[in-house]
Amino acid sequence: MKITHYLCGIGLLTGTLLSCSSDPPKKDHITVEQDESENSLTTNFDGKIFSIPSPILTMLLLKKVNPVFQSELLNPSSKVDRYQTEHKRALLLGVYGADLGYASIYKDKKNILDYLVVVEKLTNSLGLDASFDQRFIDRYQKNTNNSDSMLYIVSDAFKNADLFLKNGQRKSVSALILAGGWTESMHFATALAEKKPQNQELLERIGDQKQTLATLIALLEENNKASSNDELIRYYKELSVIFQAIKVNYEYNQPETDAEKKTTTLKHTVSFEINTETLKAITEKITAIRQHIIG
């Protein structure tokens, strides 16, 4: 199973291998590709490139493993008005965005409508209504019979919001939205893994989050406005310690180089082994982090 698995770049990287720096790429550069690059989202903070596995793939995997919609996994939409600070609203926009994605993949129209309202309310309060405007809602509602399309529409809207925040020097808000969405997606994955601990594909998806977690910690530390992320960073670092127990198996395969196109395609594979005790510890810590966020 090939899994995208590195921090400082994804997909097409210019300047040999973009080493998490703001150095401009050389004119005569080599482009490096990695299999399944479409499986990740790339974000740029102050010239540093960070890679986050796409939540879309996690959602698709959840339905594949368990075709039954579980509404109890969602954070109730009725709680939205209790989140009053910008910090909380940013985190919860990530959480509710993941909930909307979860409802979308199962085509649960009642929850889709409820969470659309919630996402719209939070984006308006954060000044992101241009990304989640009436065009977004119309486009989304026209595709309610196509779960894949709905997921991509939501993903596009969040990408636009992310760009808007960074251009407006509100990177701390962007980092919090990302953290909230990742935590909620992990909540879905670990809750399902508890019921289906032998599903290797699901365990691989959880194991693949080890590097993502390091990325999130780095983003939150670099954008820690008035130390407001201190407690969340502490929780994530505790989770990172647990992740160290995951065994990573790396298999090197010869890269393929195209001299004419100046591209190199990486072909190595990465797999993960998670024992029962480690999975239980990860699940419990994710539950605690989520409760800290939504409480």
Side-chain angles (χ1 to χ4, degrees):
M1 180 179 182
K2 296 180 181 177
I3 298 174
T4 304
H5 183 272
Y6 51 94
L7 169 65
C8 302
I10 194 70
L12 303 178
L13 304 184
T14 57
T16 58
L17 247 184
L18 263 186
S19 56
C20 279
S21 73
S22 56
D23 297 336
K26 296 179 181 179
K27 193 170 183 179
D28 185 24
H29 64 266
I30 298 294
T31 299
V32 178
E33 300 174 331
Q34 173 138 348
D35 282 3
E36 299 191 27
S37 60
E38 71 276 8
N39 293 0
S40 297
L41 304 176
T42 302
T43 186
N44 185 312
F45 278 79
D46 296 325
K48 298 181 180 180
I49 306 297
F50 295 94
S51 171
I52 300 292
S54 171
I56 290 176
L57 290 187
T58 299
M59 296 299 174
L60 293 173
L61 176 58
L62 291 175
K63 188 176 182 183
K64 176 182 175 182
V65 175
N66 183 24
V68 180
F69 178 70
Q70 295 179 264
S71 61
E72 68 275 11
L73 293 178
L74 305 175
N75 186 39
S77 57
S78 59
K79 292 171 61 176
V80 64
D81 289 330
R82 73 169 61 176
Y83 307 116
Q84 294 297 314
T85 66
E86 181 180 80
H87 186 271
K88 273 290 187 182
R89 286 173 175 169
L91 283 169
L92 266 295
L93 178 54
V95 170
Y96 281 128
D99 288 343
L100 176 58
Y102 183 78
S104 298
I105 197 64
Y106 287 91
K107 299 181 184 178
D108 189 276
K109 293 188 177 181
K110 169 63 170 64
N111 278 293
I112 286 173
L113 292 174
D114 288 345
Y115 286 92
L116 270 175
V117 171
V118 167
V119 166
E120 184 180 20
K121 180 175 288 190
L122 288 173
T123 53
N124 286 342
S125 70
L126 291 169
L128 297 172
D129 41 302
S131 297
F132 294 84
D133 57 13
Q134 190 60 45
R135 286 176 298 175
F136 159 77
I137 294 174
D138 291 343
R139 184 183 171 203
Y140 191 87
Q141 290 179 335
K142 287 178 181 177
N143 287 274
T144 53
N145 291 320
N146 188 325
S147 55
D148 288 4
S149 293
M150 286 190 290
L151 282 177
Y152 282 107
I153 291 168
V154 172
S155 179
D156 283 345
F158 272 95
K159 286 180 182 179
N160 291 335
D162 180 64
L163 182 62
F164 175 82
L165 287 168
K166 288 168 187 170
N167 288 341
Q169 298 303 308
R170 297 174 66 196
K171 296 171 186 174
S172 59
V173 174
S174 182
L176 290 169
I177 294 171
L178 196 61
W182 181 82
T183 301
E184 189 74 345
S185 295
M186 281 293 286
H187 160 64
F188 295 146
T190 53
L192 184 53
E194 271 195 308
K195 296 182 178 180
K196 298 180 181 291
Q198 303 305 316
N199 187 284
Q200 188 59 34
E201 193 172 1
L202 188 56
L203 293 179
E204 291 276 357
R205 176 60 56 176
I206 293 171
D208 191 31
Q209 305 305 304
K210 183 177 182 179
Q211 187 61 71
T212 303
L213 179 58
T215 300
L216 282 175
I217 292 171
L219 291 178
L220 291 170
E221 286 181 332
E222 290 194 17
N223 299 277
N224 193 6
K225 188 177 180 181
S227 299
S228 58
N229 297 338
D230 284 355
E231 192 169 2
L232 187 57
I233 291 169
R234 177 178 63 80
Y235 271 115
Y236 281 145
K237 285 186 174 180
E238 290 170 354
L239 178 60
S240 182
V241 172
I242 300 171
F243 263 83
Q244 298 308 310
I246 297 175
K247 183 179 179 181
V248 182
N249 300 311
Y250 176 88
E251 181 181 345
Y252 174 80
N253 293 302
Q254 186 68 34
E256 293 181 2
T257 301
D258 188 321
E260 184 177 341
K261 294 182 179 179
K262 294 184 179 180
T263 65
T264 297
T265 302
L266 305 181
K267 292 291 185 178
H268 65 257
T269 60
V270 182
S271 62
F272 305 89
E273 294 180 28
I274 309 177
N275 61 38
T276 304
E277 292 75 17
T278 301
L279 178 60
K280 183 174 184 294
I282 290 173
T283 302
E284 290 175 349
K285 184 58 67 173
I286 286 292
T287 299
I289 295 171
R290 181 178 186 262
Q291 189 55 46
H292 167 71
I293 290 174
I294 69 174

